Amino acid sequence: EVHLVESGGGLVQPGGSLRLSCAASGFTVSSTYMSWVRQAPGKGLEWVSVIYTDGSTYYADSVKGRLTISRDNSKNTLFLQINSLRAEDTAVYYCARVVGGSSQYFDYWGQGTEVTVSS
Amino acid sequence: SYVLTQPPSVSVAPGKTARITCGGNNIGSKSVHWYQQKPGQAPVLVIYYDNDRPSGIPERFSGSNSGNTATLTISRVEAGDEADYYCQVWDSSSDHEVVFGGGTKLTVL
């Protein structure tokens, strides 16, 4: 059974950094595409980043340069490093498994980890 | 970047049919995917590739996509269908960007 469990969220001061983790089970992270999607309080879903099986990465324009997606194949875990945190980064961050093909969609999601940026 | 437009809210009586639209420029040329999100929960995929249902999703959920509008249709609406619904496309021409609609709150009267 596929399972995704995020961790690493919390309260951080503006300008700080955070590394989010997403532990996967039931499949191999390195053999599929994986993404992070975030949701600000009371707002809609916002795609953040994707990592492909060949290791290539892509980011939303709103976070480019401050976020880094990566994975640890030995731990079957996905990561999101967030630097220079801003108030607008406050959100629940979900990791999701991507089904690729002629399009891309998310078939499994974690329960999310909450990030609050505030002084 | 590509923009998807959804109505903020749709209301429907139990047993009736709900239709949630997702507008985008020539969206009919793209594949559209739909998610259901209940309060405090992660999104759940309900429709992929315009009109395919994942296992476990009732046949009451269906989708269509043509021209500038994609539609999620929920037949015989139940109280448990009350949730936020999001459409999504993948824009391979725009740095592999995934785009979500703003979401529609479905209220069951």
Side-chain angles (χ1 to χ4, degrees):
Chain A
E1 182 183 3
V2 172
H3 208 46
L4 296 168
V5 179
E6 302 95 334
S7 61
L11 175 62
V12 186
Q13 291 189 341
S17 298
L18 210 56
R19 189 174 85 152
L20 308 181
S21 300
C22 170
S25 58
F27 72 102
T28 303
V29 164
S30 61
S31 300
T32 188
Y33 303 168
M34 294 293 296
S35 262
W36 288 94
V37 176
R38 70 183 181 182
Q39 186 170 35
K43 302 298 184 182
L45 301 172
E46 178 188 20
W47 173 77
V48 170
S49 181
V50 64
I51 183 167
Y52 289 157
T53 51
D54 65 0
S56 58
T57 58
Y58 296 89
Y59 301 90
D61 287 343
S62 60
V63 301
K64 217 171 273 187
R66 295 191 302 117
L67 273 62
T68 303
I69 188 172
S70 63
R71 65 184 180 224
D72 184 331
N73 297 342
S74 66
K75 297 180 179 178
N76 208 33
T77 298
L78 179 74
F79 300 102
L80 185 68
Q81 176 73 36
I82 315 175
N83 298 325
S84 304
L85 278 156
R86 308 165 178 170
E88 52 264 37
D89 294 320
T90 294
V92 174
Y93 286 73
Y94 297 100
C95 67
R97 191 175 78 168
V98 180
V99 178
S102 60
S103 183
Q104 291 185 6
Y105 61 92
F106 309 107
D107 63 344
Y108 287 95
W109 299 65
Q111 86 289 348
T113 187
E114 190 167 0
V115 173
T116 302
V117 184
S118 175
S119 55
Chain B
S1 63
Y2 195 74
V3 176
L4 295 174
T5 302
Q6 297 183 237
S9 63
V10 167
S11 298
V12 63
K16 300 299 185 183
T17 298
R19 293 179 179 84
I20 298 172
T21 59
C22 176
N25 184 33
N26 196 26
I27 194 173
S29 67
K30 300 180 181 296
S31 295
V32 179
H33 319 291
W34 292 90
Y35 303 87
Q36 175 193 71
Q37 186 181 33
K38 297 182 178 179
Q41 298 183 19
V44 172
L45 178 70
V46 293
I47 292 289
Y48 62 100
Y49 281 110
D50 296 341
N51 193 26
D52 286 334
R53 277 178 295 103
S55 60
I57 300 301
E59 292 183 6
R60 300 185 297 104
F61 288 79
S62 63
S64 63
N65 184 18
S66 178
N68 293 316
T69 305
T71 303
L72 172 68
T73 300
I74 309 172
S75 305
R76 304 181 299 283
V77 166
E78 302 173 356
D81 297 330
E82 186 162 290
D84 293 325
Y85 291 85
Y86 295 89
C87 58
Q88 176 249 307
V89 300
W90 179 57
D91 191 357
S92 61
S93 65
S94 180
D95 215 15
H96 297 246
E97 182 182 21
V98 170
V99 180
F100 288 99
T104 298
K105 168 67 176 178
L106 176 67
T107 299
V108 180
L109 301 170

